[in-house]
């Protein structure tokens, strides 16, 4: 199961498309499999029901932002085919649609999706979001090289909230010098990672963008319920770096055992979550875990207590859920 949690801070403006997005028929069009493409159809339905993004396409705003020259894009082919697909899903007359043309276009630029075999829905969704981003990237010039922003502190010193806010803003600004689109606006947030030397206590804090969170599924005891929040906390659990995975401490100037901690610093307006149902150890590595993961009331979900950035600590507004 792949869960897309679309957490919106405030109501999105749907002027000109609200009647379509909230009509009895709009978007309620089934996708017919093209071979074993239920994975593709599931991902497409999730994205189709991300209201703010679909409204952007149905209003035609995307046509003014197509980047035909991006070296990493499709020359606009993927975004044009995706827009045509949304038109069929939201304003067409048919009750079903076979997305053969969309699949053919996607396969031209992602040969791994050629043929009619089963693939991973999350893999396709990530490729599609990246492809749409590059086709709509507002940065038309060659992407500049940018240095990573690193906030270093010696043992005993502490980075203040003001320090972290300044570093995160600088890192985000550098990110936008290379990548800026409606996909970034909608789906990208920012992670904070902290490395701490176990010998001298020095820390290095970095801020990196993310498009989705790939969450581990911790084991639970008999009678316990596995919740989405527990998966998020497992993702943020402190990790020890030792053995062959030592960190080169900038203060010790040598490889040292260390700890690494990830946390959400800035939430995107729509949070995409992927549950890692594979990836155990030994024989369990290829075994899919099928237990249910409980998600809180999706009509009013609040993740503020899991976010480090004070600016996101208020009411996070309405949410939508899609499952594949």
């Amino acid at each position: 199961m792949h869960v897309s949690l679309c957490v919106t801070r405030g109501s999105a403006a749907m002027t000109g498309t609200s009647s379509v997005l909230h009509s009895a028929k709009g978007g309620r069009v089934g996708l017919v499999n093209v071979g074993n493409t239920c994975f593709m159809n599931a991902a497409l339905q999730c994205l189709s029901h991300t209201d703010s993004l679909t409204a952007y396409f149905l209003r035609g705003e995307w046509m003014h932002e197509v980047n035909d020259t991006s070296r990493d894009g499709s020359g606009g082919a993927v975004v044009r085919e995706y827009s045509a697909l949304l038109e069929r899903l939201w304003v067409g007359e048919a009750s079903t649609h076979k997305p053969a043309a969309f699949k053919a276009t996607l396969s031209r630029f992602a040969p791994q999706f050629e043929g009619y075999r089963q693939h991973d829905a999350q893999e396709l969704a990530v490729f599609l979001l990246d492809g749409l981003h590059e086709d709509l990237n507002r940065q038309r010039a060659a992407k500049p090289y940018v240095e990573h922003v690193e906030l270093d502190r010696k043992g005993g010193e502490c980075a203040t909230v003001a320090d972290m806010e300044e570093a995160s803003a600088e890192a985000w600004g550098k990110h936008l010098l290379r990548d800026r689109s409606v996909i970034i606006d909608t789906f990208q947030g920012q992670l904070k990672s902290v490395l701490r030397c176990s010998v001298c206590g020095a820390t290095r804090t970095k801020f990196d963008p993310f498009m989705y969170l790939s969450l581990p599924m911790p084991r639970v005891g008999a009678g316990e319920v596995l919740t989405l929040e527990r998966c998020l906390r497992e993702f943020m659990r402190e990790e020890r770096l030792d053995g062959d995975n030592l960190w080169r401490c900038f203060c010790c100037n040598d490889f040292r055992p260390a700890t690494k901690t990830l946390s959400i610093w800035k939430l995107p307006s729509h949070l995409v979550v992927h549950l890692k149902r594979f990836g155990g150890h030994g024989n369990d590595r290829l075994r899919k875990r099928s237990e249910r993961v409980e998600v809180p009331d999706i009509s009013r979900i609040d993740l503020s207590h899991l976010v480090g950035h004070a600016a996101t600590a208020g009411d996070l507004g309405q949410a939508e859920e899609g499952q594949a």
Side-chain angles (χ1 to χ4, degrees):
M1 181 180 73
H2 304 278
V3 180
S4 170
L5 298 178
C6 304
V7 185
T8 306
R9 301 190 200 97
S11 58
M14 299 296 176
T15 306
T17 56
S18 60
S19 59
V20 174
L21 290 172
H22 300 104
S23 67
K25 183 180 178 181
R28 290 173 172 82
V29 175
L31 289 173
V32 179
N33 285 345
V34 186
N36 293 322
T37 57
C38 53
F39 72 96
M40 179 182 77
N41 294 347
L44 289 174
Q45 291 286 17
C46 282
L47 291 179
S48 169
H49 289 273
T50 303
D51 281 0
S52 61
L53 183 63
T54 294
Y56 165 87
F57 276 97
L58 295 182
R59 286 195 295 256
E61 294 176 31
W62 68 275
M63 292 186 286
H64 307 292
E65 297 194 313
V66 176
N67 187 338
D68 295 314
T69 61
S70 172
R71 294 175 59 184
D72 300 316
S74 68
V78 169
V79 72
R80 290 185 176 94
E81 195 59 54
Y82 182 71
S83 176
L85 175 67
L86 288 182
E87 289 286 336
R88 294 183 179 96
L89 294 181
W90 288 90
V91 297
E93 296 298 324
S95 60
T96 61
H97 174 66
K98 189 172 185 177
F102 175 85
K103 182 183 180 301
T105 299
L106 190 72
S107 298
R108 281 170 50 201
F109 301 97
Q112 66 267 35
F113 297 119
E114 287 181 345
Y116 305 102
R117 294 168 300 158
Q118 183 67 263
H119 290 275
D120 187 74
Q122 181 258 352
E123 181 186 1
L124 183 134
V126 169
F127 179 86
L128 178 55
L129 287 174
D130 285 340
L132 292 174
H133 158 64
E134 291 297 346
D135 279 359
L136 296 168
N137 198 343
R138 298 169 189 139
Q139 301 296 0
R140 304 304 171 102
K143 294 184 179 182
Y145 171 77
V146 294
E147 294 279 354
H148 287 293
V149 178
E150 297 175 340
L151 188 60
D152 291 346
R153 291 292 183 270
K154 295 180 181 179
E157 297 179 354
C158 231
T160 66
V161 172
D163 292 334
M164 290 188 284
E165 288 181 342
E166 182 180 354
S168 68
E170 182 183 355
W172 189 255
K174 287 186 173 183
H175 172 54
L176 295 183
L177 291 176
R178 295 172 52 86
D179 296 289
R180 190 167 194 165
S181 71
V182 66
I183 303 300
I184 303 296
D185 297 342
T186 305
F187 295 106
Q188 279 207 348
Q190 196 175 41
L191 287 176
K192 181 182 78 170
S193 66
V194 180
L195 285 162
R196 183 182 300 275
C197 178
S198 299
V199 176
C200 74
T203 60
R204 170 165 290 168
T205 304
K206 293 175 62 177
F207 298 88
D208 297 298
F210 71 90
M211 186 81 78
Y212 64 96
L213 296 180
S214 192
L215 303 182
M217 294 174 59
R219 300 288 178 180
V220 295
E224 289 187 289
V225 176
L226 181 57
T227 64
L228 178 64
E229 179 168 332
R230 191 159 180 176
C231 294
L232 283 163
R233 292 192 181 280
E234 182 70 13
F235 172 78
M236 295 186 286
R237 186 165 61 88
E238 183 179 272
E239 174 188 2
R240 282 198 57 80
L241 305 179
D242 50 24
D244 294 331
N245 200 23
L246 298 175
W247 175 51
R248 186 174 181 84
C249 174
F250 64 89
C251 201
C252 298
N253 198 28
D254 201 355
F255 290 96
R256 300 296 195 194
T259 59
K260 180 180 181 180
T261 307
L262 289 175
S263 60
I264 303 170
W265 181 256
K266 171 187 174 185
L267 275 170
S269 62
H270 293 68
L271 176 62
V272 179
V273 170
H274 162 234
L275 299 176
K276 296 167 68 173
R277 292 191 175 272
F278 295 93
H281 301 286
N283 294 332
D284 288 339
R285 186 170 55 86
L286 299 178
R287 186 178 301 163
K288 182 177 180 179
R289 296 179 58 185
S290 59
E291 62 261 50
R292 176 184 175 84
V293 176
E294 186 175 282
V295 178
D297 181 2
I298 207 68
S299 66
R300 197 73 179 173
I301 190 170
D302 186 349
L303 301 179
S304 60
H305 59 294
L306 298 175
V307 179
H309 191 199
T312 63
D315 179 15
L316 297 181
Q318 300 297 316
E320 306 157 89
E321 178 185 33
Q323 294 189 173

